[in-house]
Amino acid sequence: MMRLGVIADDFTGATDIAGFLVANGLRTVQLNGVPPADLQVQADAVVISLKSRSCPVEDAVSQSLASLDWLRARGCPQFFFKYCSTFDSTPRGNIGPVTDALLDALGEDFTVICPVLPVNGRTIYNGYLFVNGVPLEESGMRHHPVTPMTDSNLMRLMDAQSRGKTGNVPSTIMDEGPEAVRAALADLRARGFRYAVLDALNDAHLVVMGQAVSEMKLVTGGSGLADGMARAWAGTADAAAAAAEGRPAKGRAVVISGSCSQMTNAQVAAYRDAAPSLAVSVERCMSDPAYADELADWVLAQPRNGLAPLVYATMPPEKVKELQDRYGAAEVSEAVEGVFGRLAKRLEEAGFDQFIVAGGETSGVVTQSLGIGGFHIGPQIAPGVPWVRAVGRPLSLALKSGNFGQERFFFEAQDLAA
Ligand code: ADP
């Protein structure tokens, strides 16, 4: 039965929170965009990833409300509005307006604000947000191109973009335990506050707040809060069982690498000599419309047993720069991504059912080209990189952004699938 519905304001944020939920024993499905009305999923937690962080306020509100409706129609009892742990927003939104709209739709008048993730250095003290020990406004976020954060005080930030007043539950109360936190929340609410920023300096505070808000209809914040809540619910939950539906069945695999990061270069170097491998010609990606078919034919001609064939555009930075200088960075990216998208589609049609993909953008293109609207989160190959299985289709993916994983990542992904 569905226990928690998460509305996340971007894709990586969705993946991030989904990972914490699975690790705490919740069977979790991630859906990309507002799900279609006829889609049914079986899961303890559903994470809907939107692109609502910096779109116009009205769009963020309407997408979030549509997601809420979808979740409620499936009996979901509790909701989590997930935003970035650096509170990426402006005085216009979108965190405040979306929170207000969700509260209204649920008939609620109070929620918590908690963009924390202590393991990643996101902490809150007296309502001030810190990034690796420095106030938010002194971190790199000060110069963010879309949502520059020039204040670290979460009460002021929330007040400026919402309809209500924001209070704080300080860390001294977190130290006292869940009962004290619940009492502090009730007190703030009685005094007319609509939102409460929860302090959190460490893992123990996540556990306390998780227990304190474990029954709240709507909460808002970062993955740290979700971790605390899921731990409060977990009981004897089994993380391996929770990941089972995302586990790949034995199948036919290919490795597609479009990342040129340092780690991916090392991963390709470690794999290239052990497995059938083919380096993509960037020039031909740009000039030859039949190139993807030729690459697919090569993959199909490789032996079925043994390591999965690798097709890679991965190159060291100086070669990438040379190509970009000659052809234009956007043009090269678009051409290579287009070829990988078509290659993935061709291979799927030919019976391939496991795609191990390196590169964030490249992963997006492959997912889109295969028409995957959502997936079950499976076992972790490396921190932040799980196997996932498409909802309703026997298709598994390992989607790795640039610097994730260790050198033997491509081997490890296949070992897990064996
Ligand atoms: P990462 O996660 O490492 O950033 P991405 O897939 O997000 O990887 O981005 C890599 C980008 O570089 C993609 O747009 C890809 O098509 C492009 N690319 C891949 N190979 C080359 C290459 N040899 N030269 C230039 N660009 C490349």
Side-chain angles (χ1 to χ4, degrees):
M1 230 197 23
M2 209 185 293
R3 169 107 213 210
L4 182 69
V6 180
I7 299 167
D9 71 355
D10 91 332
F11 181 81
T12 43
T15 312
D16 172 25
I17 193 168
F20 279 99
L21 297 173
V22 174
N24 285 298
L26 294 163
R27 293 174 306 139
T28 303
V29 166
Q30 181 175 335
L31 303 174
N32 306 321
V34 179
D38 60 356
L39 180 69
Q40 296 299 335
V41 296
Q42 292 291 323
D44 302 319
V46 171
V47 180
I48 298 178
S49 76
L50 302 177
K51 289 188 189 127
S52 56
R53 182 168 294 169
S54 37
C55 69
V57 177
E58 312 74 62
D59 296 350
V61 166
S62 68
Q63 284 179 39
S64 303
L65 288 176
S67 303
L68 179 71
D69 284 346
W70 189 92
L71 291 163
R72 287 175 96 186
R74 281 151 189 82
C76 183
Q78 275 181 273
F79 307 91
F80 193 119
F81 172 34
K82 161 75 173 67
Y83 40 79
C84 189
S85 58
T86 43
F87 208 72
D88 303 25
S89 56
T90 72
R92 301 196 54 231
N94 293 341
I95 295 174
V98 169
T99 302
D100 281 334
L102 294 173
L103 281 172
D104 287 350
L106 290 165
E108 296 284 314
D109 60 7
F110 191 78
T111 189
V112 295
I113 305 290
C114 192
V116 300
L117 192 52
V119 290
N120 277 1
R122 272 45 159 197
T123 56
I124 302 174
Y125 181 65
N126 288 344
Y128 285 78
L129 180 56
F130 290 80
V131 178
N132 295 321
V134 303
L136 176 65
E137 71 196 75
E138 293 174 25
S139 76
M141 285 305 293
R142 184 176 191 86
H143 303 292
H144 191 280
V146 186
T147 51
M149 302 305 291
T150 56
D151 192 356
S152 312
N153 183 303
L154 288 162
M155 286 78 80
R156 272 198 302 264
L157 288 168
M158 190 61 186
D159 281 351
Q161 56 182 281
S162 68
R163 287 211 316 269
K165 256 190 353 167
T166 315
N168 172 229
V169 179
S171 61
T172 45
I173 300 221
M174 288 295 156
D175 290 335
E176 289 176 33
E179 274 312 315
V181 175
R182 271 194 283 265
L185 291 172
D187 177 58
L188 284 171
R189 186 175 172 200
R191 286 160 49 209
F193 287 92
R194 189 168 156 88
Y195 328 96
V197 174
L198 303 178
D199 274 13
L201 302 177
N202 51 46
D203 202 59
H205 289 160
L206 299 185
V207 172
V208 168
M209 70 172 64
Q211 289 172 4
V213 305
S214 67
E215 304 293 324
M216 209 176 231
K217 193 93 188 155
L218 172 71
V219 301
T220 83
S223 300
L225 175 61
D227 188 24
M229 289 175 77
R231 278 197 260 174
W233 294 333
T236 56
D238 176 346
E245 275 171 79
R247 184 174 284 285
K250 202 162 176 50
R252 204 163 176 204
V254 62
V255 183
I256 293 177
S257 180
S259 160
C260 297
S261 72
Q262 197 180 356
M263 183 44 82
T264 306
N265 268 286
Q267 287 160 341
V268 166
Y271 191 76
R272 192 168 42 197
D273 297 330
S277 62
L278 181 66
V280 164
S281 152
V282 169
E283 279 84 0
R284 292 197 57 201
C285 287
M286 301 196 65
S287 62
D288 182 353
Y291 192 41
D293 293 329
E294 185 181 317
L295 294 175
D297 290 341
W298 176 83
V299 173
L300 288 167
Q302 302 313 307
R304 272 173 173 268
N305 300 322
L307 288 166
L310 161 70
V311 181
Y312 64 101
T314 307
M315 288 180 193
E318 57 287 356
K319 289 224 177 109
V320 173
K321 175 140 196 331
E322 233 176 82
L323 287 161
Q324 289 177 333
D325 288 347
R326 194 168 335 143
Y327 300 110
E331 286 76 4
V332 175
S333 281
E334 197 183 325
V336 174
E337 286 173 18
V339 165
F340 280 151
R342 287 193 291 279
L343 170 64
K345 185 88 198 114
R346 272 284 318 268
L347 292 175
E348 190 223 353
E349 286 160 5
F352 276 73
D353 54 7
Q354 292 181 8
F355 294 80
I356 300 166
V357 186
E361 292 299 324
T362 309
S363 294
V365 163
V366 168
T367 308
Q368 208 166 17
S369 161
L370 296 176
I372 292 170
F375 35 68
H376 300 273
I377 310 287
Q380 298 253 326
I381 304 158
V385 198
W387 269 108
V388 301
R389 191 189 298 189
V391 172
R393 284 163 70 190
L395 203 56
S396 290
L397 302 125
L399 306 171
K400 180 198 90 78
S401 62
N403 279 314
F404 282 43
Q406 298 298 311
E407 270 189 25
R408 291 186 55 82
F409 178 85
F410 298 141
F411 297 95
E412 287 158 3
Q414 291 170 71
D415 288 347
L416 243 182

